[in-house]
Amino acid sequence: MDHIQHQCDADKKYEHYMDTWELIIDKEHLKLWRKPLPSSDLYEYKVYGTFYDIPPTAFFMVQIDCDYRKQWDKLVIDLDVIAKETEDEAGSEVIHWVTHYPFPMYSRDYVYVRRQRVDYEKKVMVLVARSVEHPLCPVNDQYVRVSQYISEMVIQPHGEFEENGFDYTLTYYDNPQAPFPTPAYYWMAKKGVPDFVDKLHMAAKQYQETQASKYQRANNFCFSSNTDHTAPTIQLSYAS
């Protein structure tokens, strides 16, 4: 995965990786790029940001705690784990996510496999999701299925995992199955990404207080030297 290699490695072969990306938000603590996909009107996006007042563990847990996201993300209609490879928190999980879309469009639903890893040597936390097909969640007429979705997040602490301060990179792409004109995609990205990042930030700040027991389990998981943090592979049919 070049996106993760670019963020984690100092290898010179990734020196010009960003040359093909267009910068559309350039703030001190938030940057957003996009890159057109071949033979398509769609774009792949990359977000780079920094926070100084929350720990990376809380930010990581906000990404994977489905019940908590139902509380802070008002666009979520439903968000559930429908299958797990293991009972361990590091195991691969299949998620069904239903979300509101702007009126008058139908709501969208996603089915994706999610894996996470904490790498002590490179001192990073990685969260990867990719759309899949799953027999427990067939396509139905109630929602529009987004069958092409990829998300890769890398979180790099400034100090220790439990201390405030980290950088993060999010690379993602999805096909919303909607005929948006190109300027509409630009506007939605430029407005929607900062709004969503602000919500993530606030949710992470509140996570330590409102979800104290889960946060402590997350710390125990991240800092236990006896835990294998590499999630096993789920054998599924990936959506094309």
Side-chain angles (χ1 to χ4, degrees):
M1 295 181 181
D2 283 355
H3 312 304
I4 295 176
Q5 286 294 108
H6 162 70
Q7 178 66 13
C8 295
D9 289 352
D11 196 316
K12 287 296 183 182
K13 73 178 181 178
Y14 295 100
E15 184 176 4
H16 299 289
Y17 176 77
M18 296 301 297
D19 289 354
T20 57
W21 295 76
E22 175 192 3
L23 182 65
I24 59 177
I25 293 179
D26 188 8
K27 298 181 179 180
E28 184 178 359
H29 302 308
L30 178 66
K31 300 182 186 299
L32 171 65
W33 295 265
R34 70 175 183 174
K35 180 174 69 172
L37 295 171
S39 304
S40 172
D41 294 329
L42 300 173
Y43 290 85
E44 184 178 23
Y45 295 91
K46 184 181 291 290
V47 183
Y48 172 81
T50 301
F51 289 121
Y52 296 101
D53 59 344
I54 53 175
T57 307
F59 191 72
F60 181 77
M61 288 302 297
V62 166
Q63 311 293 317
I64 65 175
D65 188 334
C66 292
D67 290 336
Y68 185 58
R69 182 163 181 176
K70 292 175 186 177
Q71 298 176 34
W72 64 264
D73 188 347
K74 303 307 180 185
L75 294 179
V76 169
I77 299 172
D78 204 2
L79 184 64
D80 294 299
V81 177
I82 60 174
K84 295 185 71 171
E85 178 72 1
T86 71
E87 294 302 319
D88 185 85
E89 288 182 85
S92 298
E93 298 174 322
V94 181
I95 312 292
H96 182 220
W97 171 32
V98 186
T99 184
H100 289 291
Y101 257 52
F103 180 84
M105 292 186 292
Y106 287 103
S107 299
R108 264 54 177 174
D109 77 329
Y110 299 68
V111 178
Y112 58 93
V113 63
R114 181 177 69 192
R115 303 178 66 214
Q116 61 247 22
R117 179 176 180 180
V118 178
D119 189 320
Y120 291 95
E121 181 180 350
K122 296 177 180 178
K123 211 167 189 179
V124 296
M125 310 172 88
V126 179
L127 184 62
V128 180
R130 182 177 178 180
S131 54
V132 296
E133 298 172 356
H134 197 278
L136 292 179
C137 197
V139 176
N140 62 60
D141 296 334
Q142 188 175 3
Y143 309 114
V144 175
R145 173 64 53 87
V146 177
S147 59
Q148 296 176 329
Y149 167 66
I150 295 175
S151 174
E152 299 169 353
M153 176 169 279
V154 178
I155 304 170
Q156 293 188 298
H158 294 163
E160 301 301 326
F161 286 110
E162 74 276 19
E163 296 174 348
N164 287 350
F166 61 91
D167 302 323
Y168 69 91
T169 298
L170 171 65
T171 305
Y172 74 93
Y173 152 74
D174 69 356
N175 183 351
Q177 308 291 329
F180 295 132
T182 299
Y185 279 113
Y186 182 89
W187 179 84
M188 286 188 293
K190 196 163 186 177
K191 182 179 186 300
V193 169
D195 288 350
F196 183 70
V197 168
D198 286 345
K199 291 177 182 177
L200 274 177
H201 177 232
M202 184 58 65
K205 287 186 72 172
Q206 296 173 349
Y207 193 83
Q208 294 169 271
E209 299 175 3
T210 63
Q211 311 288 321
S213 61
K214 291 182 181 179
Y215 180 69
Q216 185 57 50
R217 288 202 301 272
N219 279 332
N220 292 341
F221 162 67
C222 291
F223 313 132
S224 172
S225 60
N226 295 323
T227 303
D228 178 6
H229 300 293
T230 304
T233 301
I234 287 186
Q235 299 299 321
L236 291 171
S237 173
Y238 283 95
S240 60

